[in-house]
Amino acid sequence: MALKCNLKLRMQFIDELNDSQRSAVAYNDGPLLVIAGAGSGKTRVLTYKIAYLLTQGIPAGHILALTFTNKAAREMKQRIIRLVGEDVARYLWMGTFHSICARMLRAEAEYIGFTRDFTIYDAADQKSLVKKIVKDLHLDDKIYKSGVVLSRISSAKANFVSPEQYAHSESFAKVDRLERLYKMASVYAEYNRRLKAANAMDFDDLLLYTVLLLREHADVRERYQQRFWHVLVDEYQDTNHTQYLIVKLLAEPQNHICVVGDDAQSIYSFRGATIENILTFQNGYQGAKLFKLERNYRSTQNIVNAANSLIHKNKGQIYKEVYSEKEEGERLHLTGYSNDREESASVARQILSLHRLNKRDYEDIAILYRTNAQSRSLEEEMRKFGIPYRIYGGMSFYQRKEIKDAIAYFRLAANVSDDEALERIVNVPKRGIGATTIARVREIALHDNIPMLRVMHNPEAYTGEISAATGRKLQAFAGMIQEFARQMQELPAFEFAQLVLNQSGLMNDAAQDTTAEGIDRKANLEELLSGVRQYAEDRLGQGEDTRITDFIHEVSLLTDQDEGLDDTTSRLTMMTVHAAKGLEFPIVFVVGLEENLFPSPFCQNESELEEERRLLYVAITRAEQECYLTYAKSRWKNGQINFSNPSRFLSDIDRRYILQLSAPSSEPSPWIEMPLQPSPSPRSLKPTTGLRPKTEQQTVASEWKTGDRIDHKVFGQGTVQRVYRENENEKIEIDFDTKGTKTLLLAYAKLIRI
């Protein structure tokens, strides 16, 4: 009876799969590599493969399935349970590499010198340990930052490099010399020694010690090899060298192994992923069978064909011809813009049009970008147009720590009584002012009812309570803030922001962090400067002051993006392309397709360039129905205009699948009436005296006269007050009925007489 039931289930699986999927699921005679194109049903094949093995009489306890996220493992197991029942699937070994390895290590801990109740250190524990080691070894914590050190250690462990091997590795030593980490090998050795002494492991150790366990203890290895009759791996293109070794050791000698992945979506080399694992799989497993899933169920034909034409330019790949049997669909829309603001504003207008005219839910639309810093101008445009959005896999630009730190400096300079801002940044970057000292300063300030900064200005008044050495540190900080407060009264917003980021040490601190997170922090701070510069330009164009306090007030109004929105509100999604992997949307905008942005300026060789091309492939294949590609001819960076060329990848896409559009006429955004032209250098914004530069105003002949009634599409109706020339620009001053008095550039005001 059970056999008939299993046969019936098996036939149901077969009926639900296409020919390629069915062949991959049913093959059971040796090593199996399933190359799954984007949207081809990869998860379904892996899930049905496991269900198929169960219906073949393979006990669940003899099947090992490895994934990269707990979410993927849970969802797959639930789907298997729906197919075969909980009783059949209950004892599956299914989970992430780390969870499965932790389970094995707890059972076998004594073999590797641990007890079964060993501790697993999280990121905070690791950082705390590194800080102590750096201090104990008398190293410079400004160079040996915990993030940088842990990135180097993680890279070593991902490549199965021990501290002893690290010390003799020229490749690791070369990078360490460039980053002035001359004692990195000693730090790594001490880090491992202290972990072992504490009966603790970090996440990388879970993988590394599993390899050591299986390699060095034949009896343990054979026991697990006999337990796991079948080994299956999801997202195999994302495995690193240590994970490759784990899979290899567990699958031998039967080699009943099935790996599923897509080399065209290998985009995580910065995390240690090794694309060679999937490219050379057939070489490493004799007699391995290759199955290709080439039917895309997600996207229209034009989107699939465009993505194919792009990825076929890569040399390092397993060739496949992904196809779609859906409708032909629209061609990809490609548009270039004069600058990044015009790009962001146009994208916002298109999204608004899709929502209002085409009745598309915001939930159907995603904007993808190469770096987190790009979200700033996009977020501001979405707010201006009233488009609700969410940042997926990250946080809103102005909520990022480094941005909040920078703005806290601005706030404190503008308001020296802002104790909350002071406490946030008094030791950021680190300047040796500890929590105990701050607590004492706070207590004194509260007792005397004065701002904390005043206490720090005059620490000698509290000689009995604050040491002389600590007092000097407090005075130095207070003096810096006092100087910032003075400079704020003299400098325009942009120059002031630039001065603060440099003299506070925030920019240098981020620049010295060479991890992916550090690079992001620096890019975000540079983007903040660009935001201040653009804000200053806008205000100057309207004849208004450009103090940093105005920018602070503007930002404070922007940070509450969710106000008035509940969880059921339909929202646009914005995210990096890396965060978008595995997701799909009916409509996708891929923005910022320029050289030195996408591809990244950090590409050093052809291999890295090919990964960037795979990244764009991932971006395009997230789209189901419509895909929009955009680039800007100039982009703000670090408060400066940078001119750029369209990404080389755009020429890799077959033109048959692209509809190249001209940028719409440059309609001014709702808060600006300025020409779209390169901005002047920061020096030109600096006033000669006071807050505003000296200017010469002259009356000019014009079609507009004092008293004329006009209509402006942004500010509404108003009355002309005067028309004049200032610094070679003709300006018009208008008293608007509801918006107050505004000064606009006459050439771009676009006024209608009423």
Side-chain angles (χ1 to χ4, degrees):
M1 183 68 180
L3 181 61
K4 289 182 180 179
C5 179
N6 285 340
L7 179 60
K8 182 178 180 182
L9 285 170
R10 185 163 69 249
M11 292 305 295
Q12 288 178 346
F13 300 154
I14 297 297
D15 291 343
E16 295 174 3
L17 302 172
N18 65 34
D19 291 344
S20 298
Q21 293 171 335
R22 189 181 305 117
S23 298
V25 166
Y27 183 79
N28 196 25
D29 297 327
L32 172 62
L33 169 62
V34 180
I35 293 295
S40 64
K42 170 184 63 67
T43 304
R44 165 174 280 214
V45 166
L46 196 60
T47 303
Y48 279 43
K49 178 80 174 176
I50 296 169
Y52 182 82
L53 291 172
L54 292 170
T55 64
Q56 292 290 291
I58 307 296
H62 289 290
I63 298 174
L64 171 64
L66 296 164
T67 67
F68 274 85
T69 67
N70 289 307
K71 180 175 181 245
R74 286 194 302 270
E75 290 177 353
M76 285 176 58
K77 190 161 188 178
Q78 289 168 359
R79 290 172 70 172
I80 292 167
I81 288 172
R82 286 197 294 270
L83 291 171
V84 301
E86 186 171 4
D87 291 342
V88 177
R90 178 176 300 160
Y91 299 108
L92 277 171
W93 279 65
M94 175 176 281
T96 64
F97 275 91
H98 291 91
S99 65
I100 294 296
C101 288
R103 181 176 174 183
M104 293 168 61
L105 291 174
R106 291 211 184 275
E108 318 294 344
E110 66 276 7
Y111 283 92
I112 51 174
F114 288 82
T115 66
R116 62 179 297 113
D117 58 351
F118 63 82
T119 301
I120 300 175
Y121 275 16
D122 63 14
D125 297 324
Q126 291 176 264
K127 287 183 178 180
S128 175
L129 177 56
V130 166
K131 288 176 183 177
K132 291 172 185 173
I133 292 171
V134 168
K135 182 178 181 180
D136 294 346
L137 295 180
H138 307 291
L139 300 172
D140 187 346
D141 61 3
K142 293 183 176 62
I143 297 175
Y144 290 84
K145 297 181 179 182
S146 56
V148 174
V149 169
L150 288 169
S151 176
R152 300 295 292 147
I153 292 174
S154 181
S155 177
K157 291 184 177 182
N159 288 282
F160 202 68
V161 174
S162 67
E164 295 75 22
Q165 293 169 320
Y166 191 102
H168 296 92
S169 168
E170 180 55 32
S171 62
F172 278 100
K174 182 179 179 180
V175 176
D176 290 343
R177 284 195 296 269
L178 289 173
E179 299 183 11
R180 298 186 295 160
L181 300 169
Y182 304 112
K183 298 292 185 181
M184 187 61 229
S186 299
V187 175
Y188 181 14
E190 182 62 12
Y191 174 81
N192 259 25
R193 188 193 69 76
R194 294 197 191 187
L195 277 175
K196 191 72 177 288
N199 192 38
M201 299 183 194
D202 63 22
F203 274 84
D204 292 311
D205 284 333
L206 296 175
L207 306 180
L208 189 143
Y209 278 114
T210 300
V211 175
L212 292 175
L213 173 69
L214 298 173
R215 267 189 174 178
E216 298 178 4
H217 302 280
D219 56 332
V220 176
R221 180 175 68 249
E222 291 170 6
R223 180 154 32 92
Y224 280 100
Q225 287 173 344
Q226 292 169 9
R227 171 174 293 172
F228 300 133
W229 299 356
H230 290 269
V231 177
L232 303 97
V233 187
D234 190 19
E235 303 285 10
Y236 191 67
Q237 79 279 352
D238 293 336
T239 53
N240 61 33
H241 183 63
T242 305
Q243 290 163 328
Y244 162 82
L245 292 173
I246 292 170
V247 173
K248 184 79 171 170
L249 288 165
L250 289 175
E252 293 175 341
Q254 301 94 335
N255 283 335
H256 283 154
I257 177 173
C258 171
V259 301
V260 180
D262 183 5
D263 58 291
Q265 297 187 65
S266 178
I267 58 174
Y268 294 123
S269 64
F270 67 94
R271 295 181 185 170
T274 307
I275 191 174
E276 285 74 19
N277 289 350
I278 196 167
L279 294 180
T280 62
F281 179 85
Q282 291 173 279
N283 298 332
Y285 291 89
Q286 188 175 3
K289 185 82 170 177
L290 171 65
F291 289 93
K292 298 179 182 179
L293 307 182
E294 297 175 300
R295 180 178 176 183
N296 180 297
Y297 287 89
R298 174 188 302 153
S299 307
T300 62
Q301 294 178 32
N302 272 322
I303 291 173
V304 170
N305 291 339
N308 281 345
S309 67
L310 170 72
I311 202 61
H312 286 168
K313 300 300 188 298
N314 273 9
K315 296 177 181 177
Q317 65 174 296
I318 298 173
Y319 186 87
K320 56 185 176 297
E321 192 65 47
V322 180
Y323 66 94
S324 171
E325 293 186 355
K326 297 183 76 173
E327 67 276 9
E328 182 179 17
E330 296 184 23
R331 287 182 288 171
L332 279 66
H333 296 74
L334 172 62
T335 312
Y337 296 94
S338 297
N339 54 54
D340 52 336
R341 167 166 287 190
E342 183 182 330
E343 177 190 47
S344 295
S346 181
V347 167
R349 283 194 293 268
Q350 289 181 71
I351 289 170
L352 199 62
S353 177
L354 287 167
H355 176 67
R356 291 180 175 175
L357 302 181
N358 297 7
K359 306 303 181 184
R360 302 305 300 252
D361 285 342
Y362 288 127
E363 293 280 354
D364 292 343
I365 306 171
I367 302 177
L368 309 183
Y369 35 77
R370 179 64 183 82
T371 67
N372 279 306
Q374 290 171 257
S375 77
R376 182 196 61 81
S377 61
L378 289 162
E379 287 186 68
E380 291 180 5
E381 296 292 345
M382 298 308 145
R383 291 186 180 109
K384 301 301 182 186
F385 282 90
I387 299 173
Y389 67 89
R390 66 167 60 86
I391 303 291
Y392 182 94
M395 61 180 66
S396 178
F397 181 83
Y398 288 106
Q399 294 298 322
R400 293 168 189 159
K401 180 183 182 302
E402 59 273 16
I403 302 304
K404 291 175 76 72
D405 290 342
I407 290 174
Y409 272 102
F410 301 163
R411 285 170 47 190
L412 188 56
N415 175 15
V416 294
S417 298
D418 190 341
D419 287 349
E420 287 298 319
L422 183 148
E423 291 201 47
R424 180 179 183 91
I425 46 87
V426 67
N427 203 38
V428 179
K430 294 188 183 304
R431 46 180 61 94
I433 301 175
T436 302
T437 298
I438 293 305
R440 186 63 193 124
V441 170
R442 185 191 313 115
E443 184 180 341
I444 293 168
L446 286 171
H447 180 271
D448 291 3
N449 195 29
I450 58 176
M452 291 175 66
L453 196 68
R454 187 181 299 180
V455 177
M456 297 171 70
H457 264 301
N458 190 27
E460 62 270 16
Y462 310 95
T463 305
E465 304 171 41
I466 297 176
S467 71
T470 299
R472 286 192 292 272
K473 294 175 183 177
L474 296 177
Q475 264 187 323
F477 175 80
M480 179 179 66
I481 298 301
Q482 185 177 38
E483 177 61 15
F484 288 166
R486 186 186 70 78
Q487 294 276 15
M488 186 193 72
Q489 299 300 322
E490 300 181 1
L491 294 177
F494 168 73
E495 289 191 21
F496 173 77
Q498 196 173 45
L499 176 139
V500 169
L501 294 193
N502 289 330
Q503 294 191 6
S504 68
L506 284 178
M507 188 66 81
N508 185 58
D509 185 66
Q512 289 185 357
D513 186 347
T514 56
T515 65
E517 291 77 12
I519 292 170
D520 260 1
R521 281 199 298 137
K522 182 173 182 291
N524 287 337
L525 289 173
E526 290 174 345
E527 185 62 25
L528 175 65
L529 285 178
S530 295
V532 176
R533 180 66 179 270
Q534 286 185 344
Y535 181 79
E537 290 283 320
D538 295 352
R539 302 275 292 187
L540 281 173
Q542 295 184 8
E544 300 177 13
D545 289 340
T546 58
R547 292 168 58 94
I548 196 67
T549 49
D550 297 315
F551 178 78
I552 296 170
H553 295 158
E554 181 84 3
V555 168
S556 69
L557 296 175
L558 292 177
T559 51
D560 264 339
Q561 66 169 23
D562 294 325
E563 186 177 354
L565 300 176
D566 58 35
D567 292 338
T568 63
T569 300
S570 175
R571 302 172 193 245
L572 163 79
T573 299
M574 293 197 290
M575 69 186 99
T576 64
V577 182
H578 281 102
K581 187 170 176 288
L583 303 177
E584 56 191 49
F585 300 88
I587 302 169
V588 168
F589 288 79
V590 187
V591 300
L593 288 168
E594 300 130 37
E595 286 295 297
N596 293 319
L597 181 55
F598 204 159
S600 164
F602 299 106
C603 286
Q604 299 295 317
N605 52 50
E606 188 64 26
S607 174
E608 293 175 351
L609 188 63
E610 291 204 348
E611 177 155 329
E612 288 288 304
R613 189 179 282 112
R614 293 194 294 269
L615 191 60
L616 181 54
Y617 174 84
V618 168
I620 292 172
T621 55
R622 299 311 93 197
E624 298 173 348
Q625 300 166 13
E626 299 176 38
C627 185
Y628 297 81
L629 311 177
T630 69
Y631 65 90
K633 297 173 185 177
S634 65
R635 185 172 295 275
W636 288 89
K637 184 177 181 182
N638 202 20
Q640 302 294 322
I641 284 288
N642 286 265
F643 294 93
S644 57
N645 295 317
S647 170
R648 69 189 72 183
F649 296 151
L650 293 174
S651 62
D652 289 340
I653 303 174
D654 193 317
R655 291 292 162 176
R656 290 177 296 173
Y657 310 119
I658 287 185
L659 177 63
Q660 188 156 3
L661 303 173
S662 299
S665 58
S666 298
E667 296 180 13
S669 301
W671 65 98
I672 179 173
E673 289 288 350
M674 292 184 62
L676 295 170
Q677 59 186 18
S679 300
S681 66
R683 186 180 304 276
S684 68
L685 284 182
K686 185 174 181 178
T688 53
T689 58
L691 293 174
R692 302 284 296 153
K694 289 181 178 179
T695 60
E696 183 179 351
Q697 298 181 0
Q698 302 173 342
T699 59
V700 298
S702 169
E703 63 174 308
W704 301 106
K705 306 297 181 185
T706 300
D708 285 350
R709 291 288 291 171
I710 59 90
D711 184 66
H712 185 274
K713 68 177 183 178
V714 174
F715 301 122
Q717 296 182 357
T719 303
V720 175
Q721 300 299 301
R722 62 178 178 139
V723 182
Y724 61 96
R725 182 186 302 278
E726 182 179 50
N727 289 347
E728 300 183 356
N729 291 316
E730 291 187 1
K731 297 185 178 183
I732 182 168
E733 184 179 296
I734 303 170
D735 181 15
F736 289 99
D737 297 348
T738 60
K739 299 294 184 180
T741 300
K742 303 286 184 183
T743 301
L744 309 178
L745 292 175
L746 189 58
Y748 299 92
K750 296 183 180 179
L751 305 175
I752 299 174
R753 191 183 301 274
I754 57 175

